């Protein structure tokens, strides 16, 4: 079956702009989570959505937000972009949640802020 | 928050067993121990997870200390395809406060 699909794969934005990243989970998966990966901070958890509700949240400022639609597809938005937001943004899906479940990751969206 | 500590790097020869350690001394009773690995330019890939008992699957084994303050991922016969960064992650099944810490992981090098 199809894996987790993220779009776009690569994008360049200017400081101060906003960006929206999209994620299509594996069919039947209700949990979608987002992560940021940078060389300096490593892999960090952003948030998790389950059945259209944010269920879990990492330690990121309010500029980072997300939502999940009724078909489990999810979007992540970053407003007022800063240079430090340049990173690989990973989306992952799982059947019921994070703990005790297999989490399947997409290949990520590479965001460069200039 | 519960955190994990892993060696920065380890090396192994092909077809030899590899034991990747992880310390999580502040683990709580509701934290699952998960292992993922990441190859360059790819998203992380699930390896194994457990709660209290040792676990085996076709990829690896997970040995969990009796006090749960440490665990070891065991690759029984390393192959070149196992060269990756391995992350030991604690995921709290009961919290909504983002108790999901990746750490820096262990870079495993496998020599032919």
């Amino acid at each position: 079956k199809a894996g987790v699909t993220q779009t776009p794969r690569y994008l360049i934005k200017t400081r101060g702009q906003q960006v929206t990243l999209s994620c299509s989970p594996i069919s039947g998966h209700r949990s979608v989570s987002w992560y940021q990966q940078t060389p300096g901070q490593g892999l960090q958890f952003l948030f998790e959505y389950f059945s259209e509700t944010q269920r879990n949240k990492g330690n990121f400022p309010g500029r980072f937000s997300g939502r999940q639609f009724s078909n489990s597809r999810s979007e992540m938005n970053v407003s007022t972009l800063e240079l430090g937001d340049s990173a690989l943004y990973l989306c992952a899906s799982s059947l019921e949640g994070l703990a005790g479940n297999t989490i399947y990751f997409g290949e990520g969206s590479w965001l460069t802020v200039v | 928050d519960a955190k994990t500590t892993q060696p920065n790097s380890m090396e192994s020869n092909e077809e030899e067993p590899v034991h990747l350690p992880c310390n999580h001394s502040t683990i709580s009773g509701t934290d699952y121990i998960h292992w993922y690995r990441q190859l360059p330019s790819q998203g992380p890939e699930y390896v194994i997870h457990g709660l209290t008992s040792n676990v085996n699957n076709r990829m690896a084994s997970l040995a969990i200390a009796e006090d749960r303050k440490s665990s070891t991922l065991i690759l029984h016969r390393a192959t070149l395809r196992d060269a990756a960064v391995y992350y030991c992650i604690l995921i709290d099944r009961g919290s909504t406060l983002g108790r999901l810490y990746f750490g820096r992981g262990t870079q495993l090098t496998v020599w032919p």
Side-chain angles (χ1 to χ4, degrees):
Chain A
K1 57 184 175 181
V4 178
T5 304
Q6 292 187 246
T7 56
R9 289 295 318 279
Y10 304 92
L11 67 165
I12 300 174
K13 289 287 188 178
T14 303
R15 192 170 44 183
Q17 287 185 316
Q18 73 163 5
V19 64
T20 299
L21 307 177
S22 180
C23 174
S24 293
I26 292 172
S27 177
H29 285 193
R30 294 195 292 167
S31 167
V32 174
S33 48
W34 288 88
Y35 307 80
Q36 182 196 65
Q37 186 168 30
T38 61
Q41 298 297 320
L43 198 52
Q44 299 183 88
F45 169 72
L46 281 157
F47 32 65
E48 180 209 5
Y49 284 86
F50 184 86
S51 294
E52 302 180 64
T53 300
Q54 187 180 86
R55 189 166 68 172
N56 214 334
K57 187 177 185 304
N59 190 27
F60 276 81
R63 299 187 297 108
F64 292 81
S65 63
R67 60 177 176 169
Q68 186 180 32
F69 302 96
S70 58
N71 61 0
S72 290
R73 193 176 67 84
S74 177
E75 288 182 348
M76 191 197 90
N77 185 77
V78 186
S79 63
T80 318
L81 284 166
E82 301 176 359
L83 296 180
D85 296 332
S86 295
L88 174 66
Y89 290 89
L90 292 158
C91 170
S93 75
S94 63
L95 271 173
E96 293 293 333
L98 302 178
N101 288 281
T102 301
I103 305 169
Y104 297 87
F105 285 82
E107 294 191 328
S109 293
W110 289 92
L111 170 66
T112 300
V113 182
V114 297
Chain B
D1 286 345
K3 288 182 168 52
T4 61
T5 303
Q6 300 175 251
N8 290 333
S9 62
M10 292 187 64
E11 297 183 356
S12 174
N13 294 317
E14 208 174 3
E15 298 191 4
E16 288 185 352
V18 182
H19 291 232
L20 298 167
C22 180
N23 287 317
H24 28 79
S25 59
T26 58
I27 190 171
S28 76
T30 52
D31 280 324
Y32 276 84
I33 302 163
H34 286 244
W35 284 81
Y36 283 78
R37 69 183 185 183
Q38 187 175 23
L39 278 68
S41 300
Q42 292 187 22
E45 174 190 31
Y46 170 82
V47 178
I48 201 167
H49 76 270
L51 185 60
T52 57
S53 304
N54 295 343
V55 183
N56 299 295
N57 65 23
R58 60 182 178 83
M59 285 184 70
S61 295
L62 175 60
I64 301 173
E66 198 170 329
D67 62 5
R68 300 186 73 233
K69 293 186 176 182
S70 66
S71 61
T72 303
L73 177 69
I74 303 165
L75 306 179
H76 296 285
R77 292 183 63 190
T79 68
L80 297 179
R81 292 182 66 251
D82 292 324
V85 177
Y86 285 78
Y87 294 98
C88 168
I89 307 159
L90 301 183
I91 306 180
D92 185 357
R93 67 182 175 186
S95 171
T96 60
L97 298 178
R99 286 170 63 92
L100 206 168
Y101 178 77
F102 279 88
R104 305 299 294 200
T106 296
Q107 173 68 63
L108 175 65
T109 301
V110 180
W111 299 102

